[in-house]
Amino acid sequence: MSVFDLRLETPRLLLRPTASEDFEGWAAFMDDAEAARFIGGQQPRAAAWRGFLSMAGAWAMQGFAMFSVIEKSSGRWIGRIGPWVPEGWPGTEVGWGLAREAWGRGYAAEAAAATIDWAFANLGWTEVIHCIDPANRPSQALAARLGSRLRGPGQLPAPFEALPIEIWGQSREEWHARRDGRAMPA
């Protein structure tokens, strides 16, 4: 089975590797200044194409990347969520970005939880982080909802080294204890 045949399903979402039919949704998402604000900023279509191919390339070269998020009820591409570890990254990240029309529905938490489960089970990760702009309150709330804690300031590799970020995260043991309803020692 090819990595491109991989599918994760949640009650409302289908998560799969990047596919060519996702580009129109991706380009519209990256053209939305508010939706792209904390993930590198608004991009023209040509720049969005390069980012889109980076994600597809990560799937081909690493065997993982952020999943395309497809809303089951409509069949629409609504974002990308999942494991992301570019060269020089500060850790094993599960990140997220959703089109604005998908905000406020709990989709990010649903998809992020499924991809964290998948990353711990299939990639051998011992921790998961989230690189979040200090002004991005909704992403901070999502990280906390997922059980991650603020670990402190961090730094991304060039050319993003000047962007302020905070590192939120948790260990695999903490994730599984929380998912199993067990308390972790303080």
Side-chain angles (χ1 to χ4, degrees):
M1 178 172 105
S2 162
V3 69
F4 292 101
D5 295 325
L6 177 64
R7 301 288 184 270
L8 303 180
E9 287 197 45
T10 71
R12 300 177 296 160
L13 305 169
L14 171 66
L15 310 171
R16 60 161 171 70
T18 308
S20 59
E21 64 265 22
D22 302 337
F23 182 65
E24 291 305 322
W26 179 292
F29 166 62
M30 293 308 299
D31 191 42
D32 181 334
E34 184 62 22
R37 176 178 174 202
F38 296 116
I39 55 170
Q42 184 177 24
Q43 295 178 352
R45 190 175 174 87
W49 175 250
R50 289 188 289 279
F52 178 75
L53 290 185
S54 284
M55 199 64 67
W59 275 106
M61 300 299 291
Q62 293 179 301
F64 69 90
M66 288 192 195
F67 290 85
S68 281
V69 181
I70 310 301
E71 184 181 51
K72 285 181 179 178
S73 65
S74 68
R76 290 181 308 144
W77 183 96
I78 59 167
R80 80 261 196 308
I81 295 178
W84 185 239
V85 189
E87 176 66 26
W89 217 245
T92 48
E93 180 171 24
V94 165
W96 46 79
L98 288 178
R100 209 173 345 166
E101 63 268 13
W103 292 1
R105 296 180 171 179
Y107 287 160
E110 188 175 320
T115 62
I116 291 170
D117 281 340
W118 183 83
F120 281 144
N122 294 281
L123 301 178
W125 290 7
T126 58
E127 72 169 4
V128 64
I129 66 164
H130 319 290
C131 300
I132 301 174
D133 186 296
N136 190 343
R137 300 285 183 244
S139 279
Q140 293 167 359
L142 175 57
R145 182 175 172 192
L146 292 167
S148 291
R149 293 179 318 280
L150 177 60
R151 293 182 169 178
Q155 185 173 22
L156 298 178
F160 308 107
E161 68 275 14
L163 295 176
I165 64 154
E166 295 173 339
I167 304 291
W168 289 69
Q170 63 187 297
S171 69
R172 177 174 49 209
E173 181 181 59
E174 291 167 326
W175 173 256
H176 286 303
R178 186 174 168 281
R179 296 287 271 181
D180 297 342
R182 293 180 281 128
M184 289 294 295

